[in-house]
Amino acid sequence: MRLLLQNARLIDPSQGLDQVGDLLLEDGKIAQIGKDLSVEDAQIIDGTGLVAAPGLVDMHVHLRDPGLTYKEDVYSGCRAAAAGGVTSLLAMPNTKPAMDTPETVRDLLERAKTADAAVYTAACITKGLGGEELTDLAGLKEAGAIALSDDGRPVVNTRRLLEALEQAPSLGMLVTAHCEDLYLASGGLMNEGEVSRKLGVQGIPAAAEDCGTAREIAAAASIGAPIHICHVSTKGSVELIRDAKARGVKVTAETCPHYLLLTEEALEGRDADFRMNPPLRTEEDRLALIEGLKDGTLDAISTDHAPHSPEEKADFLKAPNGSIGMETSLAATLTALAGKMTLSEILQKMSWNPAKLLGIPAGTLQVDAPADVVVFDPEKCWTVDENALHGKSKNTPFKGMTLKGKVAMTIFHSRIVYDGR
Ligand code: DOR
Ligand code: ZN
Ligand code: ZN
């Protein structure tokens, strides 16, 4: 099976490439990249006016599989990924049961083999995400987990966090941290600030996140171990990470498209689709995140794709936290960062950097790399219709918004898994 993508603007930050040319994909691999390639028996795709880039790598996704598959499952989640140009993803382990045994890891990875994206998984740091008892990290690695996280919660017991940080490097696993002080955050529904006061609902202060970020950095720094900070939403956390990097701490971090495009004002309509944890913050935070991306403090953009059913999201006060994001991540990010970063700089945060952080074969158009490609129109505007999305849940904070940049086609291992042209 050969695919020849012709006359596209090829952008590959992994090799500093940004030029119009052709891309030949064969047997699941990038076979050739260049100008005026001529090949027999290839399916031709006209890329005129489109950008072709490495398939996106989303290092923070809740697939809800096993156990919560009414929200999403590995196949629907990967269809959503494909529609968003995501070809590799890291699944979070707060499933039911939690991904805390080698068996649960093996089961997911086995079923994922026929899905429309490359599924990698994080496993729990503590049993049942309880924060107290360490899982069998080596066994989880052996079963195929590539990262460790108690995402959804912080690792409550800092001693357990340190033990995981100590063991993870020799296992080749990345520890990814949901930074939150539960005492400060408890009971909060949204950012603590002007809008929460106006609505009369309990807020989550920025300090809830910043105290968590500071603890994680201090723990990692104390033993010289790497740590990755998830879904950064505050100016304070950006500053903590910037300072830690300057001191040589091996800290990396991600933020998400919704923090780059939306602020707490979006909650004024009391719609739970805008509630996630950490919450949408202020304009000052939003601008600090963009600065953090620009100066390298923030390494990656992930979605924290967190599907919940319409029934669960119906009640503003009782709904669980989380919003979906994979199908809109490229468009929302391009819209938020237009004129602030180049396309190549943006794509680097969405493919090459996360691939390197995870140590996975992805995020590049180099010859022999997996033939995972996103083809998109950077100029095309479209309005997000939650009912036209491909995952099982509809809880997008971008519904009704017009975004600039649209995925035209996603190719996974030489196979067209999404064609939106
Ligand atoms: O908004 C969130 N949703 N934050 C989390 O930490 C967990 C996630 C989920 O699992 O729904
Ligand atoms: Zn989280
Ligand atoms: Zn998460």
Side-chain angles (χ1 to χ4, degrees):
M1 164 82 156
R2 289 165 143 191
L3 276 182
L4 180 61
L5 179 65
Q6 284 181 324
N7 199 35
R9 178 177 167 194
L10 304 170
I11 302 184
D12 181 7
S14 83
Q15 38 186 332
L17 180 84
D18 184 349
Q19 64 179 51
V20 173
D22 303 345
L23 191 61
L24 178 67
L25 313 176
E26 193 170 355
D27 300 330
K29 301 259 195 252
I30 309 272
Q32 241 180 299
I33 181 165
K35 278 200 188 297
D36 303 320
L37 301 182
S38 78
V39 205
E40 282 168 26
D41 307 330
Q43 180 183 341
I44 308 282
I45 301 161
D46 181 12
T48 307
L50 302 173
V51 171
L56 307 183
V57 177
D58 190 339
M59 65 186 299
H60 196 131
V61 175
H62 296 271
L63 286 178
R64 307 298 191 209
D65 194 337
L68 299 163
T69 52
Y70 64 94
K71 300 175 197 256
E72 196 79 285
D73 63 44
V74 63
Y75 304 108
S76 68
C78 288
R79 280 196 296 276
V86 173
T87 50
S88 299
L89 61 86
L90 183 71
M92 286 297 135
N94 61 339
T95 48
K96 206 172 169 184
M99 202 79 68
D100 61 0
T101 62
E103 293 69 39
T104 47
V105 169
R106 271 193 207 101
D107 173 67
L108 173 70
L109 295 179
E110 183 57 35
R111 284 182 296 110
K113 281 181 183 165
T114 52
D116 286 342
V119 173
Y120 297 89
T121 195
C124 301
I125 293 174
T126 63
K127 289 186 184 164
L129 302 163
E132 290 297 341
E133 213 184 326
L134 212 61
T135 51
D136 169 14
L137 304 188
L140 293 164
K141 168 71 189 187
E142 161 115 31
I146 64 166
L148 292 165
S149 187
D150 270 5
D151 185 58
R153 294 169 56 74
V155 178
V156 180
N157 184 325
T158 312
R159 191 176 292 279
R160 295 294 97 79
L161 173 66
L162 263 180
E163 288 164 2
L165 287 169
E166 215 155 41
Q167 290 184 39
S170 60
L171 293 168
M173 298 171 99
L174 181 70
V175 174
T176 83
H178 169 112
C179 297
E180 182 179 13
D181 182 301
L182 293 178
Y183 292 99
L184 290 178
S186 164
L189 294 183
M190 60 178 293
N191 184 50
E192 182 180 295
E194 254 173 66
V195 181
S196 70
R197 284 190 284 278
K198 190 155 87 185
L199 297 181
V201 303
Q202 194 176 329
I204 303 172
E209 178 172 335
D210 299 348
C211 291
T213 305
R215 181 193 74 150
E216 256 50 7
I217 288 171
S222 74
I223 54 171
I227 192 160
H228 179 77
I229 309 293
C230 294
H231 45 53
V232 174
S233 77
T234 62
K235 180 180 182 183
S237 284
V238 173
E239 286 171 351
L240 286 163
I241 295 161
R242 183 180 288 126
D243 168 65
K245 283 191 168 184
R247 290 186 288 119
V249 180
K250 295 178 191 154
V251 59
T252 55
E254 72 195 29
T255 187
C256 312
H258 40 274
Y259 304 123
L260 300 174
L261 198 52
L262 302 170
T263 55
E264 58 182 358
E265 283 77 18
L267 280 289
E268 279 172 351
R270 291 180 160 264
D271 180 341
D273 287 349
F274 296 94
R275 277 194 40 220
M276 70 285 294
N277 187 25
L280 298 176
R281 305 283 189 184
T282 66
E283 182 65 7
E284 195 182 357
D285 294 300
R286 190 182 78 84
L287 296 175
L289 294 169
I290 294 174
E291 275 313 303
L293 283 168
K294 284 171 68 172
D295 73 10
T297 301
L298 301 174
D299 305 85
I301 297 170
S302 67
T303 62
D304 201 359
H305 180 83
H308 294 294
S309 72
E311 293 74 26
E312 290 169 312
K313 279 293 194 181
D315 187 326
F316 178 62
L317 301 176
K318 295 196 185 118
N321 289 311
S323 55
I324 56 171
M326 281 195 288
E327 293 188 54
T328 48
S329 65
L330 182 62
T333 303
L334 292 176
T335 304
L337 300 179
K340 302 193 167 79
M341 289 169 64
T342 66
L343 266 182
S344 181
E345 287 166 343
I346 294 169
L347 292 167
Q348 178 163 353
K349 308 272 185 190
M350 302 185 83
S351 52
W352 181 232
N353 285 1
K356 278 190 296 180
L357 287 171
L358 295 172
I360 61 173
T364 175
L365 297 179
Q366 285 166 32
V367 170
D368 279 341
D372 299 346
V373 183
V374 56
V375 183
F376 65 95
D377 182 342
E379 300 300 325
K380 187 163 180 175
C381 293
W382 60 291
T383 301
V384 179
D385 171 3
E386 67 273 26
N387 294 310
L389 300 177
H390 295 71
K392 284 189 186 177
S393 294
K394 309 294 168 206
N395 52 313
T396 167
F398 301 116
K399 56 188 171 186
M401 275 184 82
T402 298
L403 304 176
K404 189 173 176 191
K406 191 163 193 321
V407 175
M409 179 180 277
T410 304
I411 302 166
F412 171 57
H413 291 9
S414 295
R415 189 163 61 84
I416 297 172
V417 287
Y418 175 75
D419 190 347
R421 292 174 302 165

